[in-house]
Amino acid sequence: MVDIEQPKKKAAGVPAVLSSFKFGFREMGPARTGKVFLKMNQDGGFDCPSCAWPDPDSKRKHAAEFCENGAKAVAWEATRKRVPREFFAGHSIDELNEISEFELGKLGRITEPMLLRAGSDHYEPVGWEEAFQVVARHLKALVDPNDAVFYTSGRTSNEAAFLYQLFVRAYGTNNLPDCSNMCHESSGTALSRVIGSGKGAVTLEMLEEAELIVVVGQNPGTNAPRMLSHLEIAKKHGADIVSVNPLPEPGLMNFKNPQRPSGWVGKGTALADQHLQIRIGGDQALFLAVGHLLLEAEAAAPGTVLDKRFIEQHTSGYELYSKHNAELDWPAVEQASGLTRAEIEEFTQRFIKSKATVICWAMGLTQHREAVATITEIVNVLLLQGNIGKPGAGPCPVRGHSNVQGDRSMGIWEKMPAAFLDRLDAEFAFTSPREHGIDAAETVQRLQRGEVRVFFAMGGNFAMATPDTAVVHKGLRECDLTVHISTKLNRSHTVTGREALILPTLGRTDHDQTANGPQSVTVEDSQGAVHLSTGNLMPPAPEIKSEIGIVCGLAALVVPEVGEIPWADFADDYSLIRHRIGRVADGYENMENRLRVKGGFLLAHAARDKREFKTSDAKAQFSANDLSWLPTSAGRLLLQTMRSHDQFNTTIYGLEDRYRGVHGTREVVFVNPDDLAELGLKDGQYVDIVSEFAGVERRASKFRLVSYPTARGCVAAYYPETNVLMAADDVAKGSNTPVAKGLTVRLEPVS
Ligand code: SF4
């Protein structure tokens, strides 16, 4: 039943606790819920498979060290439900495509390899040997290994990711697109260029000791909920917090921390001191203006605002930047940002007052056409006051998937540096391909041209996570083979190649036993901390293999003769993999020994730890960017896609978005009441959302209008349902990230 009510003003609290246990009991039952929840994010336990928010150190961990959405994620994975072979026998591919993403996921864990033979329309169970033979047959039949693509989702462990990239490179291609291409690639591209590392430079402790925390284009209340606990600690230390977002999100308004009595009975903790309701695509203009005002303030009172010593010693490009930003077109800034000069001046005063500033961001910044320039504009503002490489300060991109950062460290990238490939070749006595492979957007474009013969995915849901859904589905159906290593069903299993395979794998919560005994894997979180993860549940079926077991089994069949790679040994003893990782992956030296320390280890970060910048000139670099923004014509609006509170990436846990007051549906579009009035539309009316890009229109049909306090001219709707509105060739400059924020749309009433 669809019900729309007023959005909430507080996050977490008792409703979050009740929701966590409701999910746990529904999927796992009380006993299993207890067993799982008490081991989650604990030393000796397993790492939450959802977002990449760091764990506090062992001394500060709570008995319940998880959030509501982490609870949903593990309940979803550790469900007792199973998808039996009879289900596949009873449902053709066409019938499976009639089942919604949400309902597919609810069916349960897959327990045996399923094969869709050419010409058939039903999956059937097969043994692992036959499944591997099917993959080997297709891969060996390809004249050019670059006709195959090997996708990775950010849930993949370090050990599995390392072996997967080794297998793919031994096979002969660098076609290793991953989910990072669609999320923080813009952060990696910008930060690598201006500070010499693509990773965030802020630890949990540094965040808590910041004097000013700015949260831009991020909704931590839903997408990294434990972050709120650390914002609360910083708040108690006296920090100012500012939210920059087209939507007012309860998670940044008030946090009712269930770990504290005030989170149960009290009024909670007010977090954001200022909410800047930015216009979509207006962030670059905002930080350009802040930089301009800081320069002005310094000129008015020399030595009181900028950290001149840091600028002289550690940066380059300041002269060009300060000259470029000496003049500012305020009317354009106000139009671009949707903010008033007074709001921006108040915001800037917080920077001037602060001696230690952290700026956090997520997809609300990285999925724009000008994302890279916008992130360098943020770094400009941080560099002006020396806010990097000191306590309480720095750039803090908050990663979305539990091991997306680790996968990149392990070599999951279509353009790994030569130094990594040189070490890999030396370690395994083979010659890896050096021609750069293709990323996610290029994979979509190759699919559009029907040029992908084999699509292989380690986890994820490529068919729905990508832009231009209709194009991707057509391209996947033209593949000779699609293969998915998965725990549960999703759309990518029903949008198949001529032949298709589903290879069931262990989840994070599952016990992983090999001939060599119980095994653990590792992950790297958003702050660059690496720790072990050990599942404690009996797997859904004894036949299910780990990601590592699947890769080793395949490699032994597809590339047995390549290099000196002990696939069978690796499959039995993951510590052997870690020894090799320690010799190839940057920063992971001596990994196995460092993991013996409780809680694992923090990777070094030259800019954070030593103010050393591994850039082209060994300096932190200022960037002179021209003001960019997204004008719209009459009757047009700017769309951002986003998650509901009952969702993680493309995994739909339910049809509720409690914080935004939406119940029982996902086909909604949030519109400012004044825009509704101006367009002659009403709350509750149904419309088609039509996007316009490069003269091409794309349509998402029948969405319910929800009157909502969005920024004027800006609308929001959930993905993956609205990914059909995104264009395959609409990508962020420099990072090639598909654009999901700032789509020009119109709303067409439907009866
Ligand atoms: S904050 Fe992220 S990693 Fe932590 S429990 Fe929640 S979803 Fe999992």
Side-chain angles (χ1 to χ4, degrees), residues 20 60 65 69 98 213 260 291 329 331 354 521 567 569 662:
S20 302
R60 298 199 300 153
E65 189 54 56
N69 280 359
E98 295 306 313
I213 301 171
R260 298 173 186 278
D329 179 347
S354 167
V521 293
W567 296 107
D569 299 346
V662 173

Side-chain angles (χ1 to χ4, degrees), residues 221-404:
T222 287
N223 304 329
R226 282 189 300 158
M227 178 175 171
L228 303 185
S229 304
H230 303 278
L231 292 178
E232 184 182 45
I233 293 169
K235 193 83 213 154
K236 297 211 181 295
H237 292 165
D240 263 6
I241 296 176
V242 177
S243 151
V244 180
N245 198 314
L247 294 178
E249 301 285 15
L252 287 165
M253 296 179 198
N254 184 294
F255 173 44
K256 300 198 72 173
N257 185 347
Q259 306 279 6
R260 298 173 186 278
S262 65
W264 290 73
V265 289
K267 55 182 179 22
T269 304
L271 291 178
D273 301 280
Q274 185 181 12
H275 174 217
L276 291 171
Q277 188 155 31
I278 193 97
R279 186 174 173 279
I280 294 174
D283 306 274
Q284 192 259 339
L286 170 63
F287 286 96
L288 189 69
V290 171
H292 170 78
L293 289 169
L294 290 173
L295 291 167
E296 261 191 1
E298 174 69 16
T304 64
V305 176
L306 304 189
D307 183 339
K308 279 296 178 82
R309 203 152 142 260
F310 171 83
I311 291 171
E312 279 140 25
Q313 281 182 6
H314 295 289
T315 74
S316 62
Y318 173 74
E319 295 315 320
L320 177 63
Y321 167 74
S322 53
K323 210 179 273 103
H324 178 82
N325 205 1
E327 299 305 318
L328 192 73
D329 179 347
W330 272 109
V333 164
E334 292 184 318
Q335 197 175 11
S337 65
L339 303 171
T340 65
R341 180 168 180 163
E343 286 178 293
I344 298 173
E345 288 173 341
E346 178 195 340
F347 181 41
T348 306
Q349 280 307 317
R350 296 178 191 279
F351 281 87
I352 293 172
K353 194 181 84 182
S354 167
K355 293 288 168 282
T357 298
V358 169
I359 302 181
C360 306
W361 68 82
M363 300 318 101
L365 265 194
T366 63
Q367 295 178 329
H368 288 265
R369 289 179 201 101
E370 296 292 342
V372 172
T374 302
I375 293 164
T376 62
E377 206 65 65
I378 282 178
V379 172
N380 284 341
V381 167
L382 290 169
L383 297 182
L384 284 172
Q385 296 182 290
N387 279 312
I388 187 167
K390 70 176 184 184
C396 183
V398 177
R399 300 282 172 162
H401 211 159
S402 58
N403 198 40
V404 65

Side-chain angles (χ1 to χ4, degrees), residues 40-41 47-55 65-71 73-74 220 222-228 399-400 402 648 653:
M40 191 165 161
N41 296 329
D47 180 72
C48 170
S50 191
C51 89
W53 187 256
D55 301 334
E65 189 54 56
F66 58 87
C67 74
E68 175 190 354
N69 280 359
V74 290
T222 287
N223 304 329
R226 282 189 300 158
M227 178 175 171
L228 303 185
R399 300 282 172 162
S402 58
F648 176 74
Y653 300 128

